[in-house]
């Protein structure tokens, strides 16, 4: 029987924890929000405060927001790494810089705890259905120890090699692409509206043309239906593309298309769209040219 | 027996003319380059100078570069519209502004010649295999008259309604998306290289993730194989995205992601990559950060 804790019960982590629980493992769920913790216990999550059960855990899945939270959970004042048994594994899924992932892996290694650099792709839908893609890098023992958890949350695990950081690098590449492809969809659909191309015609035709993308096909229905209930928030993108631009700048890499995209997401968050679905970036474009989107006005 | 002329025997037009010929129609091919004309006659193209045969034509497919060439062919000193019989049809496939297409349709209408606003998508491969997508707008009679030509060159014909301009608008939307999706692929693959993600790993993993796009999957092999033989040239994009930005500015529409992308294609053309395949935009990024791409160095 594998004992697993998922730390971070947000929109991604809660779904992943539920999958782990459904796979039959003893599953603890922790969050800074006690409501999320009690909701997870109501669904069958195991009892016990983290300091009390840390030494019993085989796997800790870390689904927190960013590098700062990752470091606090692992090595902060109540850091979990110091309390875990040797050979247990951290599966770290926050979007972070590759250098940061390498640093975390090194420090876990010093403490005798395995570390898998394992950011995920697939969104809230993937998390809640156990069909995420995991971009994983770490030692073979870390992969082996993490297997029950990975089997529960992921449809695909990409093995990016033994050195932590490679998973986070691939995640950054994917986020760069996903963010730009999403944003340019909103640029194109509103541009089309200024030329008499309705959102419905756009959705009917573009998916069959060279201009299509995974993000376009996934998000364009939100705009056509005027439903911006957040599956994935605008606020995710200033964070994730900010990480990409930080990494790029550190590497002396000029990324002007990503830079322009980041500015659009920042502006959208700035006018109060941060908690809406990320397809609501279309509202920024519409506002800038006086268009009325489906479901508005 | 339908008599058809294809005007413009470049990389797109030559393939389309060959498809029309293969469908069994009397097919003339014309180009400002006499070598292209004689190559097409060698393949079975019909004899006769344009002024001599213009009045015999049922359909004229216009596959020239831009609005200026379109207007010259139709209404210039030797303009063909004045020589064509009433009820014959112009099928105009250059990427042009919607307003320009409406103007051409109006002037053809005055001369009793039908006009189909019919830009295409699918590239050189689509042109040479008769599998283009056509984004067409025009009166029902124009669609009807153009049918033998459309059947020969296209796999799909999207009917965008009776008003010319709508086809060109949809084409502009598609080009905006395709250009950005292509360019950001080159930004992402080179960014990844700075973080240890090899082009091979990129090609293996990203097509299975949320960051993928039609253009990414179509063009990434060029970079991985280091083969920039032009299927579609860098030089196409300053032209096509320039048209998009002109239309956008006329509409008071701010398109910052497309704008950033256009600058990258201009810079790539500026450093001498204009006649290479458009995936060679990766070379601009690589040069800016000192990377060596596959097949280089």
């Amino acid at each position: 029987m594998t004992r697993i804790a998922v730390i971070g019960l947000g929109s991604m982590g809660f779904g992943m924890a539920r999958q782990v629980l459904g796979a039959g493992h003893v599953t603890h769920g922790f969050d800074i929000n006690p409501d999320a913790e009690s909701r997870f216990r109501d669904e069958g999550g195991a009892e016990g405060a983290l300091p009390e059960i840390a030494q019993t855990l085989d796997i800790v899945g870390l689904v927190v927001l960013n590098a700062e939270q990752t470091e606090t959970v692992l090595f902060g004042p109540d850091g979990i790494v110091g309390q875990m048994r040797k050979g247990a594994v951290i599966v770290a899924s926050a979007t972070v810089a590759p250098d940061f992932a390498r640093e975390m892996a090194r420090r876990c290694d010093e403490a005798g705890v395995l570390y898998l650099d394992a950011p995920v792709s697939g969104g809230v839908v993937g998390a809640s259905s156990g069909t995420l893609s995991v971009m994983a890098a770490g030692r073979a023992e870390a992969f082996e120890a993490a297997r029950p958890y990975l089997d529960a949350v992921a449809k695909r695990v990409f093995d990016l090699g033994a050195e932590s950081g490679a998973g986070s690098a691939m995640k950054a590449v994917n986020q760069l692409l996903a963010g730009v492809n999403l944003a340019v969809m909103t640029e194109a659909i509103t541009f089309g509206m200024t030329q008499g191309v309705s959102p419905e015609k756009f959705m009917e035709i573009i998916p069959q043309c060279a201009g299509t993308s995974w993000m376009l096909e996934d998000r364009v229905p939100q705009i056509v239906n005027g439903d911006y209930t957040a599956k994935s928030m605008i606020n995710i993108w200033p964070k994730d593309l900010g990480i990409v631009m930080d990494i790029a700048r550190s590497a002396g890499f000029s990324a002007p298309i990503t830079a322009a995209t980041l500015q659009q997401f920042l502006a959208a968050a700035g006018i109060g769209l941060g908690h809406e679905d990320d397809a609501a970036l279309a509202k920024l474009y519409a506002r800038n040219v006086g268009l009325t989107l489906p479901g508005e006005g």
Side-chain angles (χ1 to χ4, degrees), chain A residues 92-114:
Chain A
S93 293
T95 298
V96 301
D99 281 345
F100 175 83
R102 280 186 281 274
E103 165 77 3
M104 290 300 104
R106 188 187 59 71
R107 291 173 66 184
C108 282
D109 202 44
E110 286 173 4
V113 169
L114 297 164

Side-chain angles (χ1 to χ4, degrees), chain A residues 48-68:
Chain A
L50 184 51
E52 295 159 15
I53 59 94
Q55 70 285 356
T56 71
L57 294 169
D58 302 300
I59 303 171
V60 172
L62 212 51
V63 198
V64 294
L65 199 60
N66 54 27
E68 189 186 352

Side-chain angles (χ1 to χ4, degrees), chain A residues 263-276:
Chain A
Q263 299 309 307
Q264 293 299 92
F265 282 117
L266 283 169
I271 63 169
L273 301 171
H275 291 277
E276 295 197 29

Side-chain angles (χ1 to χ4, degrees), chain A:
Chain A
M1 173 157 292
T2 309
R3 307 184 73 90
I4 299 176
V6 176
I7 302 183
L9 298 174
S11 54
M12 295 295 293
F14 200 94
M16 292 164 73
R18 198 186 257 151
Q19 289 297 316
V20 173
L21 187 62
H25 306 297
V26 175
T27 310
H28 298 266
F30 299 104
D31 199 276
I32 44 173
N33 174 3
D35 289 350
E37 292 190 355
S38 80
R39 270 197 299 132
F40 186 65
R41 277 196 305 270
D42 290 347
E43 299 209 4
E47 301 284 338
L50 184 51
E52 295 159 15
I53 59 94
Q55 70 285 356
T56 71
L57 294 169
D58 302 300
I59 303 171
V60 172
L62 212 51
V63 198
V64 294
L65 199 60
N66 54 27
E68 189 186 352
Q69 292 183 3
T70 299
E71 186 160 14
T72 300
V73 169
L74 296 183
F75 301 108
D78 303 313
I80 191 173
V81 171
Q83 308 171 49
M84 288 169 71
R85 66 168 178 77
K86 310 282 175 195
V89 64
I90 301 285
V91 184
S93 293
T95 298
V96 301
D99 281 345
F100 175 83
R102 280 186 281 274
E103 165 77 3
M104 290 300 104
R106 188 187 59 71
R107 291 173 66 184
C108 282
D109 202 44
E110 286 173 4
V113 169
L114 297 164
Y115 185 90
L116 197 67
D117 172 35
V120 297
S121 170
V124 174
V125 171
S128 65
S129 58
T131 60
L132 293 169
S133 292
V134 180
M135 301 171 184
R139 288 158 45 195
E141 306 92 290
F143 273 98
E144 184 57 31
R147 187 57 55 194
Y149 177 79
L150 296 174
D151 286 346
V153 302
K155 185 169 66 175
R156 276 186 298 243
V157 177
F158 298 112
D159 182 346
L160 291 158
E163 196 189 353
S164 283
S168 289
M170 187 60 87
K171 174 67 189 279
V173 168
N174 187 58
Q175 287 303 88
L176 184 167
L177 287 160
V180 172
N181 290 351
L182 162 63
V184 75
M185 177 273 280
T186 70
E187 186 163 305
I189 199 169
T190 49
F191 167 72
M193 288 174 72
T194 70
Q195 301 303 308
V197 175
S198 71
E200 290 78 11
K201 271 284 175 202
F202 181 99
M203 186 164 79
E204 175 195 337
I205 293 176
I206 294 294
Q208 304 177 65
C209 296
T212 196
S213 67
W214 191 95
M215 288 298 279
L216 183 148
E217 295 179 32
D218 191 65
R219 301 297 209 275
V220 74
Q222 271 96 306
I223 297 173
V224 171
N225 299 327
D227 177 6
Y228 299 95
T229 310
K231 290 199 298 182
S232 179
M233 288 187 297
I234 288 274
N235 275 343
I236 295 296
W237 292 105
K239 176 181 78 68
D240 279 13
L241 295 184
I243 291 169
V244 168
M245 293 306 292
D246 284 346
I247 300 169
R249 191 173 56 215
S250 295
F253 182 83
S254 166
I257 302 173
T258 311
T261 301
L262 171 57
Q263 299 309 307
Q264 293 299 92
F265 282 117
L266 283 169
I271 63 169
L273 301 171
H275 291 277
E276 295 197 29
D277 190 82
D278 50 20
L281 184 61
K283 294 185 181 182
L284 176 71
Y285 284 98
R287 193 179 90 150
N288 284 350
V289 72
L291 287 172
T292 303
L293 292 170
E296 284 189 330

